[in-house]
Amino acid sequence: MSITTLTKLDFIQFLQQRPDDGIYELVNGEIVKVEAIRAHKNVARFLVKAFDRESERLQLDYIVDKDIVIRTITNKGEQRGINPDVSVVFASLWNANVTAYGALIEPIPLAVEVVSTNWEDDYVDKLEEYENLGIKEYWIVDYLAIASRSYLGNPKLPTVFVYELVDGKYQQTAFTGTDKIISPTFPELNIMVEDVIKASQIYNV
């Protein structure tokens, strides 16, 4: 669902006008409500908790959240407001202005997108925008193997792609099955792709 406005909005106008009854993004100058199925939300919650536990265990300067909006810019110069399914933010940056809204224009250490039916947004558009912004690590979690075979291979398998920013460009590593997911942000993280898939079906609080 999109909210039509008389003129295309920029990022500041989007922050001022977005409703507070859900998650919204700024796409093509319009406010768009983002809906997700429960399995999708289960995966996001699982990763929020996993990252948060690891950050606390190692006393890292991170805040992990699923409700942070980031301003991105496309190759055409269009401003967008994206809400990653999971965001890892420097706590020192976040707490530098605690009276501000939960939106950032700075690159963050790690963003995660859990793939939905509009999978090309994650594999193409957001990949480009996160790379442009300088987000150091980007996960695409395709737990249902929705993307095309050109990304997932044949047969298509549930896959977690980890993109690491190297000299301004993303370098990709793919993980499937019992592979342990290797994260530059959390080098001691101990979760496998099958753990993520399992979390989509059963979420334990």
Side-chain angles (χ1 to χ4, degrees):
M1 182 193 78
S2 62
I3 300 173
T4 303
T5 56
L6 294 177
T7 59
K8 286 191 173 185
L9 304 178
D10 62 22
F11 184 67
I12 298 300
Q13 292 168 326
F14 160 68
L15 294 180
Q16 293 169 340
Q17 297 183 35
R18 62 177 173 156
D20 57 6
D21 63 344
I23 296 175
Y24 291 84
E25 295 186 339
L26 174 66
V27 181
N28 296 325
E30 293 188 335
I31 300 172
V32 177
K33 189 170 187 178
V34 180
E35 300 282 1
I37 63 174
R38 293 177 185 178
H40 182 123
K41 292 182 177 181
N42 282 351
V43 170
R45 290 191 188 102
F46 172 78
L47 292 174
V48 166
K49 290 189 73 172
F51 294 162
D52 204 39
R53 283 195 300 266
E54 193 68 0
S55 183
E56 288 186 359
R57 185 179 72 86
L58 297 175
Q59 297 184 313
L60 302 174
D61 179 40
Y62 294 141
I63 288 174
V64 185
D65 205 339
K66 56 183 180 59
D67 295 316
I68 295 175
V69 177
I70 300 170
R71 186 194 67 182
T72 63
I73 299 176
T74 68
N75 284 342
K76 296 180 180 179
E78 176 194 330
Q79 291 187 15
R80 296 185 71 191
I82 304 300
N83 192 140
D85 290 303
V86 182
S87 297
V88 179
V89 181
F90 287 114
S92 52
L93 171 65
W94 183 264
N95 293 326
N97 187 0
V98 295
T99 61
Y101 291 102
L104 295 172
I105 61 173
E106 301 88 353
I108 65 176
L110 171 58
V112 177
E113 294 293 351
V114 181
V115 176
S116 300
T117 51
N118 57 339
W119 59 268
E120 289 179 312
D121 286 352
D122 301 324
Y123 279 90
V124 181
D125 298 336
K126 291 179 182 179
L127 179 72
E128 167 194 295
E129 292 163 39
Y130 291 163
E131 185 180 75
N132 289 344
L133 182 59
I135 291 178
K136 294 181 180 179
E137 183 178 348
Y138 172 41
W139 288 26
I140 297 177
V141 180
D142 200 338
Y143 70 103
L144 291 175
I146 291 176
S148 68
R149 289 186 174 87
S150 62
Y151 290 96
L152 297 174
N154 189 13
K156 296 201 295 182
L157 297 173
T159 305
V160 174
F161 295 96
V162 175
Y163 293 84
E164 182 180 5
L165 198 66
V166 178
D167 296 327
K169 293 292 181 182
Y170 276 140
Q171 304 295 318
Q172 173 203 284
T173 307
F175 302 94
T176 60
T178 58
D179 292 343
K180 187 170 87 167
I181 303 169
I182 306 301
S183 166
T185 305
F186 297 105
E188 298 180 25
L189 187 68
N190 188 26
I191 59 173
M192 296 180 292
V193 176
E194 64 178 15
D195 297 327
V196 176
I197 298 167
K198 195 178 299 181
S200 71
Q201 301 303 317
I202 301 173
Y203 179 74
N204 295 317
V205 178

